[in-house]
Amino acid sequence: MSGFFLKPPVFFASVLVPATSVIGLQWGDEAKGKIVDILTERHDIVVRYQGGNNAGHTVKFDGRTYKLSLLPTGILQSHVKSVIAPGVVVNPLALLKELDGLIAGSHDCSSRLMVSDRAHVICPWHLLEEAALEKSRGSSAIGTTMRGIGTCYRDKVGRSHAVRVGDLICRDTFAAKVKEIVPFKQKILNALDPDGPQMNCDEIIAEYSTAADRVRPMVADTTTYLLDALDAGKWLLFEGAQGSLLDVDHGTFPYVTSSNSSGCGIHNGSGVPERAIVKMIGVAKAYTTRVGGGPFPSELDNEIGQRIRIAGNEFGTVTGRPRRCGWFDAVATRYSARISGVDSITIALLDVLSGFDELFVCEAYDIRGQVTRTLPSRCEDLAAAKPVLRRVPGWQEDITGITEFSKLPESAQQYCRAIEEIVQKPIEFVSVGPDRSQTIRMS
Ligand code: GDP
Ligand code: IMO
Ligand code: MG
């Protein structure tokens, strides 16, 4: 017993190592990429642990704009290792295309990237199946990014037709899997649409094996790597994709993505235990946006929403689709902050709201006469929710050059404080423009 206490406290050493995560508190596109980029400077490793190339994270500095999809945002900084962990679904063709884009922009970074051998592979049939599924839903389509994300996760959970990165880089295993899976999938696709595309096993094997040759040097047991890094005192930063309201278990199901995109996904997606994450920052826009289908109680399907869309350039990073815009939904954001247990919040794109005479924050829902401050589980109830709005005066000034909270117009400060009060989490950053420098850090 005494020997136990005399041992170096390895377990506690891991707990005390700074490991921070950044997650979205809305329906995605909250400016997570910008905040991850700012925090990357002080970290050694940046980890993507869920989602895939459905994400689109934008980073701006030195007059340049970078759009990252499957690659962790840390890839842009040379002192950092970037990790794609087991919970991510990887399209190897998309991965290489993105890397090649960065190399063309003179960021040769493949040597700083590690891809988990446990991560699952998005294959051509996943994209075909998703197209068929979305078509079959008609007007209730989820409005997915059409990247084969959900169908790949479905096969992972179903186990029978799953392909992992470890299989992809083993030529014989991969070829055998393609020959087993394609005839099965093709039968289903043909039954749905006899005139639809026909897959060719040899072509798939050739294309993916060529890609695998390039991916192979990046493949590793990232779980052991991350756990060892923690023990060695390295600083880890976990980059969430999508937003908590798109979480498959806790979001606005079925209008969600197929992974745990709230804070709940960090541990199962990365293999790093929950107790090692010492800080979680939730990012929310100063208003709300959503891409694709699904209920959105504070949506402004009118000229105000259009004004926000134009001012905030609210068009999808991945698909270019116009994002639906609405008032800040504090009910949904508070729910997200609570389920993830965030320590602090970031309010982003506050500058977009300059010039409004008055602003509104949704502080409760009226669902068929019942007022509630919690997010209902059923989509039908959320679709019936009417926002109970709190009015906050607007401000006219351009705030894009302000770097201190106290220098913001009084009503902009009041607006942020109203959000803080309803969401019940302290504000850590306020973002007033897309560039790294346009960020207020609360002291
Ligand atoms: P992510 O998916 O959460 O990383 O967010 P996206 O990159 O998809 O969308 C956020 C968009 O807002 C990007 O175009 C950013 O460049 C931009 N952006 C980030 N912060 C701010 C801000 O404070 N103000 C403005 N006007 N734009 C911002
Ligand atoms: P980032 O990381 C916003 C949405 C899609 C669709 C739903 C399911 O940039 O915040 P999927 O292709 O994942 O099966 O689509 O989820 N969606 C996002 N919306 N930002 C994202 O990522 C998203 N990733 C998926 O529009 O409604
Ligand atoms: Mg995005």
Side-chain angles (χ1 to χ4, degrees):
M1 194 64 185
S2 58
F4 173 78
F5 285 109
L6 287 172
K7 276 186 189 165
V10 175
F11 162 69
F12 290 105
S14 295
V15 170
L16 293 175
V17 164
T20 299
S21 63
V22 174
I23 57 151
L25 295 179
Q26 296 162 321
W27 281 288
D29 303 324
E30 299 91 345
K32 300 175 292 294
K34 172 178 169 167
I35 301 304
V36 169
D37 173 61
I38 288 170
L39 296 174
T40 296
E41 200 185 342
R42 286 196 265 147
H43 289 81
D44 301 301
I45 303 168
V46 178
V47 188
R48 273 284 308 272
Y49 51 88
Q50 45 74 227
N53 62 326
N54 49 349
H57 297 180
T58 316
V59 173
K60 271 194 179 185
F61 57 87
D62 297 340
R64 294 192 66 175
T65 302
Y66 299 90
K67 290 183 186 297
L68 298 152
S69 192
L70 178 56
L71 294 175
T73 293
I75 203 85
L76 299 173
Q77 298 191 35
S78 58
H79 71 283
V80 164
K81 270 273 185 209
S82 288
V83 168
I84 294 180
V88 176
V89 284
V90 177
N91 181 329
L93 309 180
L95 176 75
L96 294 174
K97 197 171 167 201
E98 203 176 333
L99 274 172
D100 289 344
L102 284 178
I103 292 166
S106 70
H107 282 266
D108 190 358
C109 37
S110 49
S111 61
R112 304 197 299 269
L113 178 67
M114 294 171 83
V115 182
S116 171
D117 50 1
R118 293 180 169 93
H120 281 248
V121 178
I122 298 177
C123 296
W125 49 87
H126 292 129
L127 288 101
L128 298 175
E129 285 181 304
E130 180 169 20
L133 281 168
E134 279 287 88
K135 195 173 161 199
S136 74
R137 288 180 68 101
S139 61
S140 62
I142 295 167
T144 71
T145 58
M146 291 289 186
R147 299 295 189 268
I149 305 290
T151 39
C152 183
Y153 275 120
R154 195 186 56 185
D155 280 345
K156 163 177 158 172
V157 178
R159 294 149 298 161
S160 304
H161 293 132
V163 180
R164 303 211 294 181
V165 169
D167 302 322
L168 173 74
I169 58 168
C170 178
R171 268 179 182 265
D172 294 345
T173 308
F174 182 71
K177 280 199 169 260
V178 171
K179 285 181 182 152
E180 177 207 329
I181 297 167
V182 165
F184 182 90
K185 299 278 187 186
Q186 192 70 62
K187 263 190 216 161
I188 298 170
L189 289 166
N190 286 349
L192 290 168
D193 179 6
D195 301 324
Q198 300 298 306
M199 289 182 280
N200 179 312
C201 285
D202 293 335
E203 279 173 21
I204 295 171
I205 293 166
E207 188 176 33
Y208 270 58
S209 297
T210 306
D213 290 341
R214 286 188 60 198
V215 173
R216 193 173 292 108
M218 305 171 215
V219 176
D221 173 0
T222 61
T223 307
T224 303
Y225 173 76
L226 292 177
L227 294 172
D228 289 348
L230 273 173
D231 288 343
K234 300 280 186 201
W235 285 42
L236 271 54
L237 182 59
F238 294 86
E239 177 176 4
Q242 291 79 55
S244 303
L245 300 172
L246 290 171
D247 186 293
V248 67
D249 288 306
H250 307 288
T252 52
F253 192 88
Y255 297 96
V256 293
T257 192
S258 299
S259 66
N260 286 117
S261 49
S262 67
C264 309
I266 302 173
H267 327 298
N268 61 313
S270 68
V272 172
E274 180 178 1
R275 58 178 174 259
I277 315 292
V278 293
K279 182 160 186 192
M280 197 169 315
I281 301 174
V283 186
K285 275 176 182 159
Y287 47 94
T288 310
T289 63
R290 177 163 207 172
V291 204
F296 180 176
S298 65
E299 182 168 14
L300 293 161
D301 191 10
N302 55 23
E303 68 283 359
I304 303 175
Q306 176 65 1
R307 185 171 160 189
I308 294 175
R309 185 175 305 114
I310 299 299
N313 191 23
E314 293 295 355
F315 297 89
T317 312
V318 172
T319 58
R321 288 177 291 177
R323 296 174 182 151
R324 299 156 65 192
C325 299
W327 296 125
F328 187 87
D329 186 338
V331 178
T333 309
R334 176 170 167 266
Y335 166 82
S336 297
R338 291 181 83 194
I339 57 164
S340 294
V342 301
D343 298 286
S344 65
I345 57 169
T346 291
I347 299 178
L349 294 102
L350 186 68
D351 54 296
V352 172
L353 297 183
S354 289
F356 282 87
D357 292 334
E358 55 180 12
L359 298 166
F360 293 89
V361 172
C362 169
E363 58 179 2
Y365 298 145
D366 179 334
I367 303 178
R368 302 181 199 94
Q370 295 272 352
V371 174
T372 175
R373 288 174 202 277
T374 58
L375 191 82
S377 69
R378 293 178 70 247
C379 254
E380 292 79 359
D381 292 337
L382 194 60
K386 293 193 173 46
V388 177
L389 298 172
R390 179 192 292 197
R391 182 188 171 279
V392 187
W395 61 92
Q396 301 306 314
E397 297 90 329
D398 174 1
I399 60 170
T400 54
I402 294 178
T403 52
E404 282 173 49
F405 189 75
S406 61
K407 302 264 167 64
L408 285 171
E410 190 60 38
S411 30
Q413 292 184 37
Q414 205 183 324
Y415 184 76
C416 292
R417 294 299 183 202
I419 290 176
E420 195 175 45
E421 179 210 315
I422 309 172
V423 176
Q424 295 178 319
K425 297 286 177 187
I427 299 171
E428 183 161 355
F429 296 102
V430 177
S431 177
V432 292
D435 196 83
R436 262 185 200 165
S437 60
Q438 294 173 296
T439 314
I440 298 171
R441 187 173 198 140
M442 307 294 270
S443 44

